[in-house]
Amino acid sequence: MNLDFSIIPKYLPFLLQGAGLTIELAVLGIAFGILLGLVAALMKISHTPLRYIAHFYIWLIRGTPLLVQLFLIYFGLPQLGITLSAFASSVIGLGINSGAYLAEVFRGGIEAIPEGQTEASLSLGMGKFLTMRRIIFPQALRISIPSLGNQFIITLKDSSLCSVITMSDLLQTSQRFASRTFASLEFYTAAAVLYLLMTTVISALLRSLEWRLSRESRTRGN
């Protein structure tokens, strides 16, 4: 066995560039997912036929692998005349996938708010939309932050699948240089370390945010 990790510093700028693209994909994907998840959550708790569309969306996406979804978007849609770049396909795929999980997160957060608050707001003439925007959703978002943070970390790691559709993210960058130098263990170890660093930093930031929100909540309660 001949391991040579001294080769990594030479390629580190390229790996960091790939890590930057990984973060960009995760941020854009989760942002799109939040939008889709919120809309799906509101549709699911509504007493209209729209809830069936939300049920179908959540059932379909949560029941199929992300990789298959990416293939359908990147390789399948061109047969219908819709051609998307690898970047756009990755963001859309990550967003659609995370949105199905965030829909349940937001639904749980909304339903955790006591109905009395909604009734009190409506009695004051605020209306359903204003009540949701000013009273219910801010509290639901606060409740959902831990799960939202976990989903962001999952999306960050799942973005590695985008390398299969030619995205030059951290994983594909590692694969490219590993094949050139035959130093697979070294480059994949470096990739694992960078993924671990990213998720650790994000987890620390999320814990700090949760602690701050908890402190603010206790202060308001007093």
Side-chain angles (χ1 to χ4, degrees), residues 61-190:
I61 300 302
R62 294 183 66 163
T64 55
L66 172 58
L67 186 58
V68 174
Q69 296 163 17
L70 290 171
F71 279 7
L72 285 171
I73 295 170
Y74 187 67
F75 297 113
L77 289 182
Q79 289 186 245
L80 303 177
I82 303 173
T83 302
L84 299 173
S85 66
F87 183 82
S89 298
S90 299
V91 171
I92 292 172
L94 291 171
I96 291 175
N97 185 269
S98 61
Y101 292 91
L102 290 176
E104 291 299 307
V105 171
F106 289 137
R107 180 192 60 79
I110 292 171
E111 293 183 345
I113 308 302
E115 292 185 8
Q117 295 193 27
T118 301
E119 295 171 357
S121 300
L122 293 176
S123 67
L124 294 174
M126 293 185 67
K128 291 184 178 180
F129 177 77
L130 196 58
T131 296
M132 178 62 69
R133 185 168 67 88
R134 291 188 176 181
I135 305 299
I136 305 302
F137 184 68
Q139 297 181 76
L141 182 60
R142 186 186 299 268
I143 294 172
S144 303
I145 281 178
S147 297
L148 181 59
N150 290 334
Q151 185 59 46
F152 178 66
I153 292 175
I154 291 171
T155 301
L156 178 73
K157 292 186 292 184
D158 283 350
S159 67
S160 61
L161 294 173
C162 299
S163 64
V164 181
I165 58 172
T166 72
M167 276 305 300
S168 297
D169 65 340
L170 175 56
L171 180 58
Q172 194 191 72
T173 302
S174 302
Q175 289 176 325
R176 185 168 67 250
F177 291 123
S179 64
R180 288 182 185 178
T181 62
F182 301 101
S184 297
L185 184 58
E186 291 89 336
F187 276 101
Y188 290 134
T189 299

